[in-house]
Amino acid sequence: MTYDSSMIGSTARGAHETGRPFMGRLRRGLLMASHAEAASGRRDGSAGGEGNGGGSGHDAGDGDRRSKQPRKGGTGRFLRDVVIIFLAALLISFLIKTFLIRSFFIPSGSMENTLQIHDRIIVNELVPKLMPLKRGDVIVFSDPGGWLGAEDQVSTSSGNPVVNGVQWFLTQVGLGTQDSDNHLIKRVIGLPGDKVACCNSFGQTTVNGVPLDEPYTKQPAIATDQIDDLHFSVTVPAGSLWVEGDNRGDSADSRLQQKTPSGGFVPLSDVVGRAVLITWPIKHWSWLDDYPAVFRGTDESTQ
């Protein structure tokens, strides 16, 4: 079979010429699709950036508004803090009263002129628990038994329940004096083991044979029935004290309590503490002296 070469060539050229427009359109279509995809990506990125920027501005605005608004529960937290501070102060005051200092008032003239009636004093409770007592110290102690009669019990109640409540609260924190009615205040003359006697030819009290020149005493007239009681010679037993009031003519102290169960001695366990300061009235404000010079030499003397 013979073929016409010219026909074959014509057919190939026709096919080639026919494919040119198709390929061109295909390339243009792919190029346009590529450009469209790129443009779409740019639009998405721009929109995303604007969205993020707008969101940040909105959040910042909300934050500013929230910072300007009062916090919810602020009043409740404030009241809670006040209650906590109050309770902490109350606890600290109670501990101070229990272990450090207390306030007492003076109901009688037995310590004149050192202390006046109705003076307020501060008592150091570390003495004698942690610090030793010395001769000459002014101490507050509980009634050892029989020292205070019914007529000596001084009521601190005002009769007003509100005032009594305030006094009770102040007493619990160491600033009130509601529990002063069962306590006494005197000056330490003899420590455990001391020999205390009265009186020498000059009317002086002696401790371990050393006469005391006591500038703090007030010596008014003594009742006749008490003269015999004022002459004594005792040795202070272990764990006890011999005490006397500065107002020697008006003080029911160890000298006049020798017939009570304690024999006139004050057990150390009954001592509340050492009086250190007069706090009221202001014109009486002063530190309380223990007059170490008065008792100088009593330790070295033969007992």
Side-chain angles (χ1 to χ4, degrees), residues 36-286:
E37 183 177 358
S40 176
R42 286 194 298 272
R43 284 196 301 272
D44 290 344
S46 176
E50 292 176 358
N52 292 336
S56 299
H58 181 69
D59 292 342
D62 288 346
D64 292 340
R65 285 192 295 273
R66 283 195 299 269
S67 65
K68 294 178 181 179
Q69 293 176 354
R71 294 181 177 180
K72 294 182 179 179
T75 302
R77 282 194 295 269
F78 172 75
L79 293 177
R80 179 199 62 190
D81 293 343
V82 169
V83 171
I84 291 174
I85 293 172
F86 174 78
L87 293 177
L90 183 61
L91 176 61
I92 292 172
S93 298
F94 176 78
L95 293 175
I96 289 174
K97 178 219 172 178
T98 303
F99 300 107
L100 296 179
I101 61 173
R102 285 175 69 178
S103 177
F104 288 89
F105 83 101
I106 307 304
S108 74
S110 68
M111 283 295 292
E112 293 177 346
N113 290 318
T114 303
L115 298 171
Q116 305 298 321
I117 297 174
H118 301 314
D119 278 355
R120 260 63 173 177
I121 60 171
I122 292 295
V123 172
N124 177 8
E125 294 187 285
L126 295 178
V127 181
K129 298 180 180 70
L130 298 179
M131 303 169 65
L133 279 168
K134 303 185 299 297
R135 302 178 189 89
D137 284 342
V138 177
I139 63 169
V140 171
F141 56 95
S142 301
D143 183 357
W147 287 40
L148 290 173
E151 66 279 3
D152 298 318
Q153 296 287 342
V154 179
S155 175
T156 57
S157 175
S158 67
N160 185 317
V162 176
V163 174
N164 288 341
V166 173
Q167 290 179 344
W168 175 87
F169 173 78
L170 292 176
T171 299
Q172 301 313 303
V173 298
L175 300 177
T177 59
Q178 201 173 45
D179 58 354
S180 297
D181 54 348
N182 192 43
H183 294 82
L184 301 97
I185 183 165
K186 307 293 179 189
R187 190 179 296 275
V188 176
I189 302 299
L191 296 175
D194 284 347
K195 183 177 181 179
V196 183
C198 184
C199 299
N200 64 11
S201 57
F202 296 98
Q204 295 172 305
T205 299
T206 62
V207 176
N208 301 326
V210 177
L212 305 181
D213 184 10
E214 303 175 278
Y216 45 77
T217 58
K218 180 180 179 181
Q219 302 272 6
I222 304 295
T224 304
D225 60 351
Q226 294 181 342
I227 293 178
D228 291 339
D229 294 329
L230 299 182
H231 290 82
F232 59 87
S233 179
V234 299
T235 299
V236 183
S240 297
L241 304 168
W242 183 268
V243 299
E244 298 181 12
D246 288 356
N247 187 355
R248 295 291 164 82
D250 188 21
S251 176
D253 48 40
S254 291
R255 301 168 300 160
L256 302 180
Q257 305 295 342
Q258 297 180 64
K259 297 179 182 179
T260 62
S262 69
F265 301 105
V266 177
L268 283 170
S269 58
D270 287 343
V271 177
V272 175
R274 178 170 66 89
V276 294
L277 177 68
I278 303 173
T279 59
W280 189 262
I282 295 177
K283 63 182 180 180
H284 293 172
W285 191 96
S286 64

